[in-house]
């Protein structure tokens, strides 16, 4: 449903609605357009004023016996009261509280200070004397924390009175009222953290609570979702780095309706303020509409909608507020309106108390037993449905589609009543515990399809309990593991309630676990994690979500440091302001900060888990390297060498990430495990990485001395586990499978192209089928994969002229040369794109002595003679070059003339040419290529000088 829309999409909706509200306010201040729709001359408008009615005493709308004159009016006020407000209530009742809270314009406005980073902060001094700043939150035990619902209901009562007395039809007054409400929301957003406006001040919050009940008609059920996930309308934000949503909860209220509306409902249902809310709201709704009759002396005043545009509303507040039996009662409207609403609110409350007492007597008389929360819940549900239908009976009368709208609202209330009335807190607790049990069963890794015709997520709670008992593949040890996992989750979520304890007792019975085992598990858990039973460290769900949100943000910063390559102490200092801002936003104490950092950097923390995932990835990479060494008949083939080089580069990248994690972890036990695992998996690559780090003074600057000593000891005694080679019986078939996995699973086009090239030399038919699939995807024809696939398809075809070399084939030829052999593969591909193939017949000259060195020559087939003129004028062949050798590289790089003539000695010779301009362009774009070639040329010159000596 709408609640599942991403925060990015919801943000767009909020912006549109907020903009729409501001436009509405502007229209209340200045509106030259909408009066046309109510003009008597506009015969097609449904809002048209009919002069035949308001001029006819028998048909006009009367207030206290006097016909009211009507003139064309701006429809802004009527639109707000008759469309926008009812639409909001439908949204809450049908689509759920969670949707409304995420799109509410006032909620959006209240978050402006947070978005601008200008919220009020308070100074906190810890017992050790350290000071820190954090955002203000409403203390749960403060007057506001305990009485906020009374305050909100009072503000709602005040708002209803303001509407009747001042802003129903006065457009300027309504605009001012809305502007002040927006400013109030922004002010609260500055003064307090989180959704404090929604939770503690918003006058609409009581209405949301009433019409939500346990949950809206299409609300999601938070307790059936993933543990500590982003649920319902809880605070969240979009993380651009991961492309996912993350929690922004600061635990501004506990229990929080935005996290789990049903949990909030059941935990607070027996509070006195809930009775006032549900019972008083019904009386207030009826009293609001009935006052229109008491004031005007007829129902036409309400049903006609003239109250939205009557002239002089404010000027009448001291006029008689009642008109009963054609007699004005001399009580000013300023007193009459709040008096009426107060009487009906009190009457509604007394009616609720009476209904509750009569219902209890009925249950007792018939021998039925219901818990107190269940009795209150059923009475609340009835009062909510009655209030809903009263509202729509009155509000829908002026609507053109009155019957359809009334029918829809009655249907909606009927469905909500059926969903809600028989709901119990025990059912909620049972479902929540069953969801914990479901998660633990799924962790066992059993194939449930053997026993079920559906997934575990489709099972009812009772079925989950039974499933845990009857699964034949679940032994006693696994049952204990399942129960232990459920117990940990229940304890993590806070204190176990009496109802949850009864459900755990039932679960123990199903899993055949006795009470002694239960207490033994509790003792074991207490040893493993003493915080589970420490009253000072036990967290509510809201607090745990707040800490979890801070932990995830801190994890992101630490992982960012891991990727940056900056020493951890320096990097944390650079991020100090960001960490401080996070601590202020999530109100993190020194103790909590220390706890979370321990969780992240500990052996079971997210950093250690990341290291385990990287080690698994390193194992997978090295297995592929071993396969490419052992399975090919000619592993020295350029295709396999390049594939291995790419994989080894990936190994180095993984090792660098692991070493960065080692740096962050410091000198812990996990460090030794990581270093030993790397050395065991890839000792050669590990030493290559470490040698490079030595030259960069990486160790002494960034690692703890104990870690340096450990690395030295470990690498000195390394053993390559790949020495024990056991080849499969079908080596060729295995190699084909390996190449096909590369082709279909690897995301890098170059790896796919190399795999396809290698496969074409082993099984051309399979390679061509794969090439056909690639070409059918419609990718860019110039891409290296599409180009290679096209070439594979042409193998075996009769062609009158030789096929052009692909970029990959040219790169493979370049790789075979000593000059380009150590160039990075991606750079090699770029060079290959600039190389041009040429063919020469026997005796043809490739270049002459004394000519400009304007291109580099790479022999890819045939043999050529290198001829130099002697002092006596004779010509002498001083060298012969074959495939894989380069000619003229020194002349091109040093911009000197050719020192020899090169001619074809074999029947034919094929070469690749790289112009000096293209080479210069490549050198300018790629500094790494420049340094590599400089090193190669330097070693070449040293070799030549050594030969001369």
């Amino acid at each position: 449903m709408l609640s599942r829309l991403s925060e990015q999409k919801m943000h767009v909706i909020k912006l549109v609605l907020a903009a729409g509200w501001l436009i509405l306010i502007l229209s209340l201040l200045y509106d030259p357009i909408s009066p046309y729709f109510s003009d008597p001359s506009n015969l097609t408008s449904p809002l048209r004023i009919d002069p035949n009615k308001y001029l006819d005493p028998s048909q006009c709308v009367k207030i206290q016996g006097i016909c009211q004159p009507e003139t064309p009016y701006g429809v802004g006020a009527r639109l707000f009261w008759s469309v926008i407000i009812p639409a909001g209530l439908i949204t809450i009742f049908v689509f759920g509280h969670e949707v409304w809270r995420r799109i509410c314009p006032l909620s959006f406005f209240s978050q402006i200070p947070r978005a601008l980073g200008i919220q009020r902060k308070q100074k906190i001094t810890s017992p050790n004397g350290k000071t820190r700043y954090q955002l203000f939150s409403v203390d749960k035990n403060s007057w506001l924390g305990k009485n906020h619902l009374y305050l909100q209901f009072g503000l709602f009562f005040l708002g209803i009175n303001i509407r009747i007395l001042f802003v129903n039809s006065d457009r300027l007054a309504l605009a001012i009222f809305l502007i002040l409400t927006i400013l109030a929301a922004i002010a609260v957003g500055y003064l307090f953290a989180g959704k404090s406006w929604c939770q503690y001040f918003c006058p609409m919050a009581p209405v949301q609570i009433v019409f939500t009940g346990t949950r809206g008609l299409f609300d999601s059920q938070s307790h059936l979702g993933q543990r500590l996930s982003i649920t319902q309308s809880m605070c969240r934000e979009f993380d651009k780095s991961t492309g996912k949503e993350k929690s922004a909860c600061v635990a501004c209220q506990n229990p929080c309706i935005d996290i789990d509306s049903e949990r909030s409902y059941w935990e607070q249902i027996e509070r006195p303020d809930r009775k006032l809310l549900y019972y008083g709201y019904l009386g207030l709704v009826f009293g609001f509409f009935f006052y229109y009759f008491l004031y005007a002396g007829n129902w036409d005043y309400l049903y006609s909608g003239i109250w939205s545009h009557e002239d002089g509303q404010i000027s009448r507040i001291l006029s008689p507020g009642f008109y009963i039996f054609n007699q004005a009662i001399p009580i000013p409207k300023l007193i009459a309106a709040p008096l009426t609403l107060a009487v009906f609110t009190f009457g509604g409350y007394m009616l609720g108390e009476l209904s509750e007492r009569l219902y209890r007597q009925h249950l007792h008389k018939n021998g039925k037993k219901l818990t107190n929360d269940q009795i209150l819940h059923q009475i609340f549900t009835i009062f909510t449905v009655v209030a809903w239908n009263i509202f729509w009976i009155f509000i829908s009368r002026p609507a053109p589609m009155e019957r359809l709208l009334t029918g829809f609202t009655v249907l909606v209330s009927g469905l909500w009543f059926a969903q809600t009335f028989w709901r119990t807190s025990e059912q909620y607790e049972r479902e929540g515990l069953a969801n914990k049990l479901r998660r633990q069963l799924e962790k066992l890794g059993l194939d449930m399809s053997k026993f079920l015709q559906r997934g575990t997520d489709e099972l009812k709670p009772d079925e989950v309990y039974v499933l845990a008992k009857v699964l034949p593949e679940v032994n006693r040890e696994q049952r204990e593991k399942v129960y232990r996992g459920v117990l940990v989750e229940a304890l993590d979520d806070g204190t176990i309630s009496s109802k949850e304890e009864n459900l755990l007792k039932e679960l123990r019975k199903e899993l055949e676990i006795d009470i002694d085992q239960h207490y033994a598990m509790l003792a074991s858990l207490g040893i493993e994690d003493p915080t589970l039973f420490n009253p000072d460290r036990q967290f509510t769900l809201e607090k745990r979500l707040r800490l979890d949100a801070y932990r995830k943000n801190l994890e992101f910063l630490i992982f960012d440091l891991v990727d940056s390559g900056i020493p951890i102490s320096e990097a944390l200092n650079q991020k100090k302001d960001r960490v401080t801002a996070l601590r202020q936003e999530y109100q993190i104490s020194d103790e909590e900060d220390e706890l979370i950092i321990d969780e992240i950097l500990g052996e079971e923390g997210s950093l250690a888990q990341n290291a385990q995932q990287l080690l698994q990835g390193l194992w997978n990479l090295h297995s592929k390297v071993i396969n490419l060494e052992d399975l090919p008949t000619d592993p020295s083939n350029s295709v396999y060498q390049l594939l291995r080089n790419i994989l080894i580069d990936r190994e180095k990248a993984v090792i660098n990430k692991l070493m960065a994690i080692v740096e962050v972890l410091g000198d812990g036990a996990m460090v030794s495990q990581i270093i030993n695992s790397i050395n065991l998996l890839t000792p050669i690559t590990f030493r290559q990485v470490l040698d490079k780090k030595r030259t960069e003074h990486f160790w002494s600057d960034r690692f703890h001395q104990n870690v340096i000593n450990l690395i030295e000891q470990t690498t000195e005694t390394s053993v390559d586990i790949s020495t024990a080679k056991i080849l499969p019986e079908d080596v060729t078939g295995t190699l084909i499978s390996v190449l096909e996995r590369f082709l279909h699973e690897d995301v890098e086009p170059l790896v796919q192209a190399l795999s396809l090239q290698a496969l074409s030399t082993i099984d051309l038919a399979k390679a061509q089928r794969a090439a056909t699939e690639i070409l059918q995807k419609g990718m860019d024809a110039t891409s290296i994969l599409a180009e290679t696939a096209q070439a594979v398809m042409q193998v075996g075809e009769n062609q009158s002229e030789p096929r052009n070399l692909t970029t990959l084939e040219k790169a493979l030829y370049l790789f075979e040369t000593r000059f380009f052999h150590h160039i990075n593969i991606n750079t090699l591909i770029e060079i290959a794109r600039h190389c041009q193939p040429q063919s020469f017949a026997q005796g043809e000259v490739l270049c002459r002595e004394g000519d400009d060195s304007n291109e580099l020559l790479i022999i890819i087939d045939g043999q050529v003679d290198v001829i130099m003129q002697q002092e006596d004028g004779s010509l002498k062949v001083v060298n012969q070059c074959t495939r894989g050798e380069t000619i003229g590289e020194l002349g091109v790089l040093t911009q000197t003339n050719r020192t020899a003539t090169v001619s074809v000695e074999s029947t034919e010779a094929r070469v690749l040419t790289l112009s000096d301009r293209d080479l210069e362009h490549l050198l300018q774009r790629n500094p790494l290529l420049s340094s590599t070639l400089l090193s190669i040329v330097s070693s070449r010159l040293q070799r030549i000088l050594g030969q001369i000596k």
Side-chain angles (χ1 to χ4, degrees):
M1 296 302 294
L2 291 175
S3 60
R4 295 184 176 88
L5 286 178
S6 67
E7 185 63 13
Q8 280 185 307
K9 293 179 179 178
M10 281 295 192
H11 193 67
V12 173
I13 295 174
K14 283 189 285 189
L15 283 173
V16 171
L17 292 178
W21 203 353
L22 294 176
I23 292 172
L24 173 67
I25 292 173
L26 289 175
S27 75
L28 293 172
L29 298 173
Y30 176 71
D31 181 10
I33 299 174
S34 67
Y36 169 73
F37 296 102
S38 58
D39 193 283
S41 63
N42 188 351
L43 300 179
T44 59
S45 173
L47 300 177
R48 169 182 175 266
I49 296 173
D50 187 352
N52 294 326
K53 288 185 178 180
Y54 78 81
L55 294 176
D56 184 351
S58 64
Q59 298 186 61
C60 68
V61 177
K62 297 178 182 179
I63 299 179
Q64 298 188 0
I66 301 173
C67 285
Q68 294 302 298
E70 294 192 60
T71 58
Y73 59 92
V75 300
R78 186 166 185 175
L79 178 68
F80 182 77
W81 298 122
S82 299
V83 177
I84 295 176
I85 295 297
L89 295 181
I90 287 180
T91 301
I92 296 170
F93 206 71
V94 177
F95 295 106
H97 153 275
E98 59 189 275
V99 172
W100 175 251
R101 278 288 180 93
R102 293 183 66 191
I103 66 173
C104 174
L106 283 177
S107 175
F108 171 78
F109 288 125
S110 72
Q111 295 301 305
I112 290 177
R114 177 181 178 273
L116 297 177
I118 55 173
Q119 290 176 285
R120 182 177 61 142
K121 299 178 178 67
Q122 60 180 332
K123 186 177 181 180
I124 303 294
T125 303
S126 61
N128 59 12
K130 290 184 178 180
T131 61
R132 60 185 173 87
Y133 289 88
Q134 70 178 33
L135 300 181
F136 269 89
S137 282
V138 177
D139 187 349
K140 183 179 181 180
N141 296 317
S142 66
W143 182 90
L144 181 58
K146 294 178 179 179
N147 300 284
H148 65 89
L149 196 56
Y150 291 117
L151 173 65
Q152 289 172 297
F153 189 77
L155 290 174
F156 179 69
F157 182 88
L158 177 63
I160 293 295
N161 280 280
I162 291 174
R163 174 180 173 179
I164 292 175
L165 295 171
F166 302 105
V167 302
N168 241 348
S169 61
D170 192 299
R171 293 162 58 203
L172 177 60
L174 178 57
I176 294 173
F177 177 75
L178 295 178
I179 291 171
L180 291 176
T181 305
I182 291 173
L183 292 176
I186 295 173
V188 171
Y190 166 76
L191 294 171
F192 299 100
K195 287 185 177 180
S196 294
W197 165 258
C198 304
Q199 307 284 22
Y200 297 100
F201 295 94
C202 179
M204 274 295 290
V207 182
Q208 295 173 36
I209 294 173
V210 169
F211 288 142
T212 296
T214 54
R215 64 187 178 100
L217 196 58
F218 293 114
D219 257 342
S220 62
Q221 292 179 280
S222 178
H223 64 295
L224 300 184
Q226 293 297 317
R227 184 168 177 265
L228 292 182
S229 60
I230 297 176
T231 60
Q232 296 190 336
S233 53
M234 68 179 285
C235 298
R236 68 195 77 188
E237 59 188 8
F238 181 74
D239 188 344
K240 294 181 180 179
S241 61
T242 61
K244 298 179 180 179
E245 293 180 357
K246 64 180 181 181
S247 169
C249 177
V250 297
C252 59
Q253 190 179 65
N254 172 40
C256 178
I257 191 174
D258 290 305
I259 295 174
D260 188 342
S261 60
E262 186 165 4
R263 171 173 165 266
S264 175
Y265 176 84
W266 290 118
E267 288 192 14
Q268 300 180 93
I269 192 171
E270 296 185 50
R271 288 176 43 166
D273 55 11
R274 299 291 154 154
K275 287 188 178 184
L276 172 64
L277 174 60
Y278 282 90
Y279 300 158
Y281 180 75
L282 173 60
L284 184 58
V285 169
F286 186 79
F288 170 75
F289 289 110
F290 192 63
Y291 180 73
Y292 285 84
F293 173 80
L294 294 177
Y295 168 67
N298 60 77
W299 288 109
D300 288 340
Y301 174 64
L302 171 65
Y303 294 147
S304 67
I306 196 174
W307 49 265
S308 68
H309 55 275
E310 66 173 300
D311 293 330
Q313 179 188 11
I314 297 178
S315 65
R316 298 181 181 180
I317 60 172
L318 297 178
S319 301
F322 294 119
Y323 188 76
I324 303 173
F325 300 117
N326 297 321
Q327 182 67 43
I329 309 298
I331 299 177
K333 186 179 181 183
L334 185 63
I335 297 175
L339 178 63
T340 302
L341 296 180
V343 168
F344 275 90
T345 300
F346 179 74
Y349 180 81
M350 295 307 297
L351 177 63
E353 290 283 5
L354 177 62
S355 301
E356 186 182 327
R357 186 163 58 253
L358 293 174
Y359 189 43
R360 292 180 189 277
Q361 292 174 359
H362 168 75
L363 292 172
H364 179 73
K365 182 179 179 180
N366 290 276
K368 296 180 179 180
K369 292 185 179 180
L370 290 180
T371 60
N372 187 53
D373 63 357
Q374 185 63 19
I375 293 171
L376 291 173
H377 166 67
Q378 292 184 355
I379 299 293
F380 287 176
T381 301
I382 293 171
F383 269 60
T384 298
V385 171
V386 173
W388 171 264
N389 284 285
I390 286 176
F391 176 86
W392 286 103
I393 287 172
F394 286 113
I395 199 70
S396 63
R397 287 297 298 269
M401 302 179 68
E402 173 189 345
R403 293 181 180 177
L404 180 61
L405 182 59
T406 303
F408 171 75
T409 55
V410 169
L411 174 63
V412 165
S413 65
L415 293 173
W416 184 86
F417 180 83
Q419 171 186 278
T420 306
F421 186 76
W422 299 109
R423 188 86 175 147
T424 66
S425 58
E426 192 272 342
Q427 185 181 2
Y428 167 80
E429 297 279 7
R430 189 177 189 81
E431 290 172 350
L433 197 64
N435 193 45
K436 294 181 177 72
L437 177 57
R438 180 187 289 109
R439 285 198 291 266
Q440 299 306 318
L441 289 173
E442 289 171 349
K443 288 180 181 179
L444 294 179
L446 301 178
D447 184 7
M448 299 296 180
S449 61
K450 294 180 182 178
F451 318 105
L452 307 171
Q453 300 299 318
R454 49 200 166 127
T456 54
D457 57 335
E458 298 177 14
L459 295 178
K460 296 178 180 178
D462 290 334
E463 294 174 320
V464 176
Y465 287 108
V466 175
L467 176 65
K469 179 179 180 179
V470 303
L471 276 177
E473 293 187 12
V474 178
N475 55 38
R476 184 170 189 80
E477 182 181 349
Q478 288 174 317
R479 294 180 198 275
E480 292 177 359
K481 184 178 179 181
V482 166
Y483 182 74
R484 181 188 178 92
V486 172
L487 199 58
V488 169
E489 283 198 31
L491 290 168
D492 272 346
D493 288 343
T495 306
I496 297 177
S497 65
S498 58
K499 291 178 181 177
E500 199 167 16
E501 172 57 33
N502 291 332
L503 292 170
L504 284 171
K505 183 177 180 180
E506 181 182 337
L507 178 59
R508 290 197 296 271
K509 181 179 179 181
E510 296 290 349
L511 295 176
E512 299 176 355
I513 293 174
D514 58 38
I515 191 65
D516 292 334
Q517 290 173 302
H518 168 74
Y519 283 114
M521 287 183 193
L522 289 177
S524 174
L525 290 173
I527 294 172
E528 294 174 9
D529 185 4
T531 63
L532 284 175
F533 304 103
N534 184 345
D536 297 328
R537 299 289 291 275
Q538 287 181 353
F539 302 143
T540 63
L541 176 61
E542 286 73 19
K543 186 174 182 180
R544 186 166 294 280
L545 285 167
R546 172 174 63 84
L547 296 178
D548 188 59
Y550 173 72
R551 178 178 59 79
K552 288 181 179 179
N553 278 280
L554 197 61
E555 279 178 1
F556 169 73
L557 285 179
I558 291 177
F559 289 153
D560 186 42
L561 301 180
V562 168
D563 293 336
S564 67
I566 304 172
I568 186 65
S569 57
E570 178 185 340
L572 281 173
N573 189 53
Q574 290 181 8
K575 301 286 187 178
K576 183 178 179 181
D577 291 344
R578 178 60 181 149
V579 173
T580 301
L582 285 173
R583 289 190 60 181
Q584 291 176 355
E585 180 177 357
Y586 292 105
Q587 304 166 54
I588 302 299
S589 66
D590 292 337
E591 183 184 24
E592 290 170 339
D593 187 56
E594 183 179 345
L595 174 67
I596 290 170
I597 290 178
D598 287 344
E599 286 180 359
I600 296 174
L601 303 184
E603 293 187 15
E604 300 298 327
S606 52
L607 208 59
Q609 292 174 6
N610 189 25
Q612 292 294 344
Q613 293 171 357
L614 288 170
L615 287 170
Q616 182 60 48
L618 188 62
W619 164 257
N620 294 335
L621 284 170
H622 196 61
S623 299
K624 294 174 182 177
V625 173
I626 297 301
N627 282 332
L628 294 175
E629 288 178 349
D630 296 345
L631 298 177
T633 54
D634 181 15
S636 63
N637 186 288
S638 299
V639 174
Y640 296 115
Q641 286 192 59
L642 282 175
L643 274 172
R644 289 199 298 272
N645 287 351
I646 292 173
L647 294 177
I648 289 171
D649 284 343
R650 292 180 182 178
E651 286 183 349
K652 291 178 180 178
V654 173
I655 291 172
N656 278 319
K657 273 189 174 268
L658 284 165
M659 296 307 289
I661 291 176
V662 166
E663 178 205 352
V664 174
L665 292 176
D667 189 24
M670 186 69 187
V671 169
S672 175
Q673 179 187 341
I674 292 173
I675 292 173
N676 286 324
S677 298
I678 298 172
N679 191 59
L680 185 65
L681 290 172
T682 58
I684 297 174
T685 309
F686 189 29
R687 281 195 292 271
Q688 290 174 351
V689 171
L690 294 176
D691 288 341
K692 184 178 180 182
K693 300 301 181 188
R694 284 190 185 95
T695 61
E696 298 173 354
H697 303 290
F698 181 90
W699 291 15
S700 59
D701 293 340
R702 296 177 60 174
F703 280 152
H704 191 281
Q705 185 59 46
N706 292 343
V707 176
I708 296 175
N709 296 337
L710 176 63
I711 293 173
E712 295 284 4
Q713 295 171 7
T714 303
T715 53
E716 286 175 2
T717 58
S718 62
V719 177
D720 190 347
I721 62 173
S722 63
T723 54
K725 299 178 181 179
I726 302 175
L727 297 179
E729 295 183 3
D730 184 7
V731 175
T732 302
T734 305
L735 177 59
I736 290 173
S737 298
V738 170
L739 293 174
E740 286 181 325
R741 282 200 299 274
F742 277 128
L743 190 58
H744 297 298
E745 297 175 8
D746 203 286
V747 297
E748 188 175 350
L750 179 55
V751 172
Q752 294 174 311
L754 286 166
S755 304
L756 183 61
Q757 184 77 20
L759 184 61
S760 67
T761 63
I762 305 173
D763 191 329
L764 181 60
K766 286 188 176 181
Q768 289 184 332
R769 284 197 294 272
T772 301
E773 294 177 3
I774 291 169
L775 294 172
Q776 287 175 346
K777 294 179 180 178
M779 63 176 59
D780 185 0
T782 61
S783 71
I784 193 167
L785 180 57
E787 188 185 18
T788 303
Q790 190 64 48
V792 168
M793 294 299 298
Q794 294 174 4
V795 175
E797 295 181 0
N798 295 323
Q799 297 179 341
S800 56
E801 295 182 4
R803 176 179 57 80
N804 290 331
L805 293 175
T806 65
T807 302
L808 183 60
E809 289 170 331
K810 289 187 284 185
L812 291 171
Y813 283 127
L814 291 173
F815 181 72
E816 291 176 2
T817 68
R818 287 185 297 175
F819 190 69
F820 290 108
H821 187 73
H822 297 288
I823 300 295
N824 174 274
I825 178 59
N826 291 313
T827 306
L828 209 60
I829 292 295
E830 191 173 3
I831 296 172
R833 294 189 190 279
H834 288 83
C835 289
Q836 301 299 324
Q838 292 189 31
S839 296
F840 296 88
Q842 189 174 25
E844 278 194 79
V845 175
L846 279 67
C847 60
R848 293 187 183 279
E849 186 176 355
D851 289 349
D852 292 339
S853 298
N854 57 7
E855 61 183 8
L856 173 65
L857 304 173
I858 303 103
I859 310 299
I860 62 175
D861 192 23
Q863 181 175 304
V864 299
D865 290 334
V866 180
I867 305 169
M868 296 186 67
Q869 186 174 8
Q870 304 302 302
E871 293 181 358
D872 60 2
S874 61
L875 300 176
K876 181 181 179 181
V877 176
V878 296
N879 193 14
Q880 288 187 324
C881 297
T882 57
R883 175 174 173 168
E885 295 190 75
T886 55
I887 298 171
E889 64 274 15
L890 290 177
V892 171
L893 290 171
T894 58
Q895 296 184 345
T896 57
N897 294 338
R898 301 287 191 187
T899 58
T901 299
V902 180
S903 65
V904 179
E905 190 277 333
S906 58
T907 305
E908 184 185 24
R910 290 194 300 154
V911 300
L912 292 176
T913 64
L914 179 64
S915 70
D916 55 350
R917 290 184 179 180
D918 286 338
L919 182 58
E920 183 180 0
H921 175 68
L922 290 168
L923 291 173
Q924 290 175 351
R925 289 183 55 192
N926 195 327
L928 182 61
L929 176 60
S930 301
S931 60
T932 304
L933 291 185
L934 181 62
S935 174
I936 293 170
V937 170
S938 176
S939 61
R940 181 77 61 85
L941 288 172
Q942 289 176 3
R943 189 168 62 253
I944 292 173
L945 290 173
Q947 292 173 352
I948 293 174
K949 291 179 181 179

